[in-house]
Amino acid sequence: MPTEPLPDLAPDFVPFATAALDFHRAINMPVAPVAASRTELDSLHAHLVALYGLLDAHTARTSPVAAAEGDHLRACRIRLWQAAEHLHAAYHAAPQRLTGRLPTREACRAHLPEGAPDLTVCQRHLATAARVRRAHTPADLRDPFTGLTRH
């Protein structure tokens, strides 16, 4: 079945984003073992959520015309969300910005927001979680292995 040619695409910025991450790692990561700061974890969470959105768009466009490729993209999208969930949890387990104190065990269990600017990561996470819940079942999101089952 012939397909229409793709329209001219805008310059691809993904390689620049990849290079920026590599550059950031090269110049900003200390050699000594040091825990990631909340600022770094927040930035990484924002990056993963944006990448989830990009893969979501690719998955929606690809799945109707290429089932196997669409399934792999869907599995990748689920894994990215799982990684974002872990980053969100790591953010709240990290020392607080102003006091440097670790959250108490009770505060971690309560999952209470800590106020601005710490609430920003939670707002981003909740907004994306609403999209994720519409696109995936709870079983999909908790499955230890996603994809590669149909093809």
Side-chain angles (χ1 to χ4, degrees):
M1 159 168 122
T3 60
E4 294 181 29
L6 290 173
D8 289 336
L9 300 174
D12 192 3
F13 297 107
V14 174
F16 293 111
T18 303
L21 285 174
D22 288 341
F23 186 67
H24 170 79
R25 181 183 40 80
I27 65 170
N28 289 331
M29 294 302 297
V31 177
V34 176
S37 70
R38 281 187 164 202
T39 303
E40 180 82 1
L41 294 172
D42 185 24
S43 295
L44 287 170
H45 185 269
H47 189 77
L48 275 187
V49 166
L51 193 53
Y52 177 90
L54 179 62
L55 276 170
D56 188 38
H58 279 295
T59 303
R61 288 181 37 211
T62 302
S63 294
V65 295
E69 185 180 349
D71 282 348
H72 289 292
L73 289 173
R74 186 173 186 276
C76 183
R77 187 177 61 176
I78 291 170
R79 288 287 190 222
L80 273 177
W81 175 247
Q82 290 170 337
E85 289 265 51
H86 285 289
L87 271 174
H88 184 247
Y91 177 88
H92 286 293
Q96 296 174 350
R97 294 178 207 234
L98 298 177
T99 64
R101 287 190 229 155
L102 290 172
T104 64
R105 204 176 273 264
E106 292 78 25
C108 288
R109 282 192 199 125
H111 299 291
L112 296 174
E114 301 169 31
D118 298 310
L119 188 56
T120 307
V121 69
C122 295
Q123 290 171 335
R124 178 187 326 112
H125 196 73
L126 289 173
T128 308
R131 287 177 39 206
V132 169
R133 283 192 303 273
R134 285 192 298 269
H136 306 290
T137 66
D140 289 340
L141 298 175
R142 285 169 181 57
D143 189 11
F145 181 76
T146 57
L148 305 176
T149 54
R150 291 181 11 179
H151 308 284

